[in-house]
Amino acid sequence: MLKKIVISSSWLAVERIFRMIISFFVGIAIARYLGPDQFGQLNYAQSFVALFSTVAALGLEGIVVRNIVRQPERRDEILGSAFVLKLFGSLSTIAFTIALIIFLRPDDPHMQWMVALVAMGMILQAFDTIDYWFQSQVNAKVKVYTYATSFFVISMLKVVLIVIKAPLIAFAYAGMAEAVIIMIGLLIGYRVHGNYLRKWRASLTCSLEMLKDSWPLILSSLAILIYMRIDQIMIGDIVGNHELGIYSVVVRLGEMWYFVPLAIVSSTYPSIVASKQISEEIFYERLQHLFDVMALIGYIVAIATTFLAPFLVSFFGQEYSAASSLLICYIWVGLFVNLGLARSSFLNTMNYTKWQFVTSVMGCILNVLLNLLLIPRYGAMGATVASLFSYWFQTHASCYFFKPLHQVGAMQTKAILVPFRLKKIIAQLPIRSKGEYL
């Protein structure tokens, strides 16, 4: 299992590094071409759709992977039921998103059309169900090939759009095209590996079982996305598109490395689930190791970015110079994002989805209140401070409010102190057996 995890993580890391490099330079070109105002409009549309995209996913990823690992003989029933659920969720969410933007901005047909185009890509999320199968097998090759190819093709298309001086709406079309390519790639990959979609079968019983476990995850994911994206919506509505454009650069730079923790959690999750069936001691040992790794990565990235912020922002041009001070603060959000991702492995394995929901709602409410208080006074910097404080509260502090989460809260506290424990951790590595690692 360790070998498969390392290989899978390596494939995901390579794909994401490739994506990060291309995204950085293409993102710079788009931001410079559009300018803060139009760049702010584009990010407003994307953030608005992102608020509801998690509903389309129905919180099924961890549930489907977990169920296939535990009951491999039911894989076609699980995958078929998940596909139908996600298809229905996508169609419903698209209709709601379009109706809401029309209601909120009745006199802005340009923004209505942009939101509609971005939202249409959600219907293709149903085919992400294929990726859940590969995750359960700790096989990242198909996802890497598919996502890397689609991303490269669309990135080159965006460069062409800049060269021919295409209008803003063209970039929304490009985003929808990327979703189509990803869908085609997953279908081809699933077939090449000897699998057939026609074997999938939807079951009402299986669907209800998954929804019973996932509904708290749907609501908690919605809450998480609200406090991840509501700041951009509020900046655009309260301060204006220009400042939103600057803040969007900060968010992109701050989040472009999230592929690392996502790849680690995605690849180690099947091992975490399996360890719970072996013994409690191994389960918690692996969890603590995961928390330590995630915290260490968070510190390394945050410290490096703190020193490199002016240099990174300079690529976007003088119009975005104000983003430097914002990035120095915002980058520390990543530490708690990492810990939150690691905590999700614990919550899904223990079937503590209701606590994921409760803590996410608490963090969401706090974030919205802080944004309402700080954005009118401090603009984008207020949103940055609100994000940092609410991420910490939702991921770490909230664990101490509920007894079932006290242990995972203590594990996070231990991980936050990893810089002071690093020497001891390194000293212990040689005496551990190979099977003890994630």
Side-chain angles (χ1 to χ4, degrees):
M1 176 61 74
L2 174 62
K3 183 178 179 180
K4 292 182 71 175
I5 290 172
V6 171
I7 293 174
S8 181
S9 296
S10 299
W11 274 101
L12 289 170
V14 169
E15 186 265 333
R16 291 297 181 171
I17 291 172
F18 169 78
R19 177 184 288 264
M20 180 183 69
I21 294 172
I22 300 297
S23 179
F24 179 72
F25 290 105
V26 174
I28 289 173
I30 294 173
R32 293 176 71 101
Y33 169 68
L34 295 177
D37 188 69
Q38 288 196 87
F39 192 58
Q41 292 180 51
L42 178 62
N43 281 276
Y44 184 96
Q46 292 172 340
S47 297
F48 189 87
V49 173
L51 285 178
F52 309 103
S53 62
T54 186
V55 178
L58 296 177
L60 290 174
E61 181 173 359
I63 304 298
V64 172
V65 174
R66 182 196 67 189
N67 289 355
I68 293 176
V69 171
R70 291 178 176 176
Q71 300 173 298
E73 71 281 359
R74 295 182 62 195
R75 74 159 198 179
D76 291 325
E77 180 187 6
I78 294 169
L79 291 171
S81 300
F83 177 80
V84 172
L85 287 173
K86 284 170 67 67
L87 185 61
F88 176 78
S90 298
L91 292 171
S92 302
T93 305
I94 290 170
F96 175 78
T97 303
I98 295 174
L100 184 60
I101 192 63
I102 292 174
F103 173 77
L104 294 176
R105 293 202 172 190
D107 300 322
D108 192 351
H110 183 72
M111 183 57 69
Q112 293 172 12
W113 187 237
M114 285 189 61
V115 168
L117 286 174
V118 177
M120 288 302 293
M122 285 192 290
I123 195 172
L124 304 175
Q125 285 188 8
F127 292 90
D128 286 347
T129 307
I130 296 172
D131 179 48
Y132 302 165
W133 159 250
F134 287 108
Q135 285 187 42
S136 70
Q137 305 303 300
V138 198
N139 183 349
K141 285 186 179 181
V142 171
K143 182 175 183 177
V144 168
Y145 288 142
T146 301
Y147 280 69
T149 301
S150 63
F151 182 73
F152 179 76
V153 170
I154 298 303
S155 295
M156 294 304 99
L157 173 60
K158 289 177 180 178
V159 171
V160 172
L161 293 177
I162 294 172
V163 172
I164 65 175
K165 300 187 183 303
L168 175 60
I169 196 73
F171 293 91
Y173 278 107
M176 186 171 62
E178 183 174 8
V180 174
I181 297 174
I182 289 173
M183 177 194 71
I184 295 172
L186 289 175
L187 287 170
I188 293 173
Y190 194 68
R191 180 64 188 89
V192 167
H193 280 74
N195 301 303
Y196 298 88
L197 260 66
R198 65 172 180 267
K199 291 185 176 181
W200 289 5
R201 60 185 187 278
S203 159
L204 179 61
T205 301
C206 183
S207 299
L208 292 176
E209 286 176 358
M210 290 191 290
L211 283 178
K212 181 181 178 181
D213 288 341
S214 72
W215 74 262
L217 291 176
I218 300 172
L219 298 178
S220 60
S221 296
L222 178 60
I224 290 171
L225 268 176
I226 287 175
Y227 73 73
M228 283 183 68
R229 299 302 178 204
I230 195 63
D231 49 0
Q232 298 186 53
I233 302 297
M234 294 175 71
I235 289 173
D237 288 334
I238 296 173
V239 186
N241 290 325
H242 187 275
E243 185 136 354
L244 173 57
I246 294 173
Y247 185 71
S248 298
V249 166
V250 174
V251 173
R252 290 188 176 224
L253 288 173
E255 295 180 356
M256 69 179 183
W257 64 278
Y258 286 0
F259 72 88
V260 177
L262 283 168
I264 293 174
V265 170
S266 176
S267 296
T268 59
Y269 181 59
S271 175
I272 295 293
V273 174
S275 69
K276 183 69 170 63
Q277 299 173 317
I278 299 173
S279 77
E280 293 289 308
E281 182 181 358
I282 295 176
F283 173 63
Y284 284 106
E285 181 181 352
R286 291 185 176 183
L287 272 175
Q288 185 62 64
H289 184 48
L290 178 60
F291 277 121
D292 290 345
V293 169
M294 299 294 261
L296 186 60
I297 293 172
Y299 276 117
I300 292 172
V301 173
I303 292 172
T305 304
T306 297
F307 288 101
L308 294 173
F311 173 73
L312 294 173
V313 171
S314 67
F315 286 99
F316 290 84
Q318 187 62 32
E319 288 183 297
Y320 295 93
S321 59
S324 179
S325 58
L326 298 174
L327 180 59
I328 290 172
C329 179
Y330 188 88
I331 194 63
W332 289 92
V333 169
L335 172 62
F336 302 108
V337 170
N338 283 13
L339 293 176
L341 288 170
R343 191 184 73 158
S344 68
S345 292
F346 168 79
L347 296 175
N348 285 334
T349 304
M350 299 294 290
N351 205 23
Y352 282 173
T353 52
K354 67 176 181 179
W355 298 116
Q356 179 86 320
F357 165 64
V358 171
T359 57
S360 296
V361 170
M362 291 171 66
C364 177
I365 293 173
L366 178 62
N367 182 259
V368 171
L369 291 176
L370 288 175
N371 276 314
L372 287 172
L373 177 66
L374 299 176
I375 289 178
R377 296 184 182 184
Y378 306 106
M381 181 56 79
T384 302
V385 173
S387 294
L388 180 59
F389 191 80
S390 58
Y391 269 98
W392 162 75
F393 179 83
Q394 187 272 333
T395 298
H396 182 221
S398 64
C399 293
Y400 292 99
F401 285 76
F402 309 103
K403 188 174 181 180
L405 304 184
H406 285 181
Q407 185 170 4
V408 76
M411 295 172 75
Q412 289 184 74
T413 300
K414 192 175 180 181
I416 291 172
L417 298 175
V418 72
F420 303 100
R421 300 169 43 239
L422 192 57
K423 184 177 180 180
K424 182 179 179 181
I425 292 173
I426 294 174
Q428 290 177 342
L429 288 178
I431 63 173
R432 291 185 176 183
S433 65
K434 186 176 181 181
E436 290 181 300
Y437 291 105
L438 288 172

